[in-house]
Every structure is written in C-alpha cells, then in structure tokens.
Amino acid sequence: MAKAHIQFVSKNGALIGSLVEIDTLVVPRAGELLDAYECLNLTKDDFGEFMVLSVVYKVTVDGFVPFITAREWCKGYRHELLQQRGWLMPTDSTSISYDEDDPAR
C-alpha cells in the first residue's frame, strides 16, 4: 500500500493540524470531496468536509508520493474554485493561485 500526505486548510487558508500521512491505494483528484471527520477526530458540529485543491507528486526512489491539499468545504461553487486553481478555464476576472504554492508541499 502506498503513502499519501494530506494537508487540510480552513476556508480562510489557515492550516488545520499538521500534515496527515495515510496508507492508501486511492489518490483523489482536484475537485473531489473528502469526509475527514474520523481522520481529524471531529464531531458533526465541526466542519469536516474538504475539497481537494491540488495533488502534487514527489518523485522518490520508491515511486511517487502524492501530497494533497484539501480545503474546508460547505456547499460552495466548485467550478469557481477549480477555475481559480487553474483546473478549469478561468474567466477574465478570476484570480489565479498555483498548486506549487500549496502548504502540503
């Protein structure tokens, strides 16, 4: 089983906890939702749903290691965030941010 690293961030960009390392065969894609209640020991009163912003692979001698950044998510417009991240064609007024600047790196 491969390792993956996930950094959770709040809606305002603050880091939530430290980098989480998990064993997994699945690597989520940008735009997919993660239910992280159990992983972060949250109650249903907390926000525990996150959307994957980026996946950056570190190349090692043992293979690829995915570093995932996931942002707190609560019924927003995915297409706007994906446009901002460069995963969808941006509009003229979109402010672009870059995967290379993610805190999981």
Side-chain angles (χ1 to χ4, degrees), residues 68-79:
I68 301 160
T69 300
R71 180 179 169 200
E72 208 170 42
W73 192 252
C74 183
K75 297 186 182 187
Y77 293 105
R78 275 192 212 173
H79 69 278

Side-chain angles (χ1 to χ4, degrees), residues 27-100:
V27 177
R29 298 168 296 175
E32 292 186 322
L33 298 179
L34 305 178
D35 178 335
Y37 285 98
E38 184 178 328
C39 176
L40 296 175
N41 294 321
L42 301 173
T43 68
K44 290 297 181 183
D45 294 330
D46 299 316
F47 285 108
E49 294 180 1
F50 295 81
M51 187 175 83
V52 174
L53 295 181
S54 72
V55 180
V56 177
Y57 291 91
K58 181 176 182 177
V59 181
T60 70
V61 294
D62 296 322
F64 293 104
V65 179
F67 285 80
I68 301 160
T69 300
R71 180 179 169 200
E72 208 170 42
W73 192 252
C74 183
K75 297 186 182 187
Y77 293 105
R78 275 192 212 173
H79 69 278
E80 288 178 1
L81 190 56
L82 292 174
Q83 282 177 332
Q84 181 185 36
R85 300 295 300 184
W87 289 99
L88 294 177
M89 184 64 75
T91 63
D92 290 340
S93 62
T94 301
S95 175
I96 301 293
S97 58
Y98 300 96
D99 290 349
E100 294 85 0

Side-chain angles (χ1 to χ4, degrees), residues 8-34:
F8 295 101
V9 296
S10 68
K11 279 205 170 226
N12 66 5
L15 299 179
I16 298 175
S18 58
L19 196 63
V20 175
E21 182 179 295
I22 61 169
D23 290 319
T24 183
L25 295 174
V26 176
V27 177
R29 298 168 296 175
E32 292 186 322
L33 298 179
L34 305 178

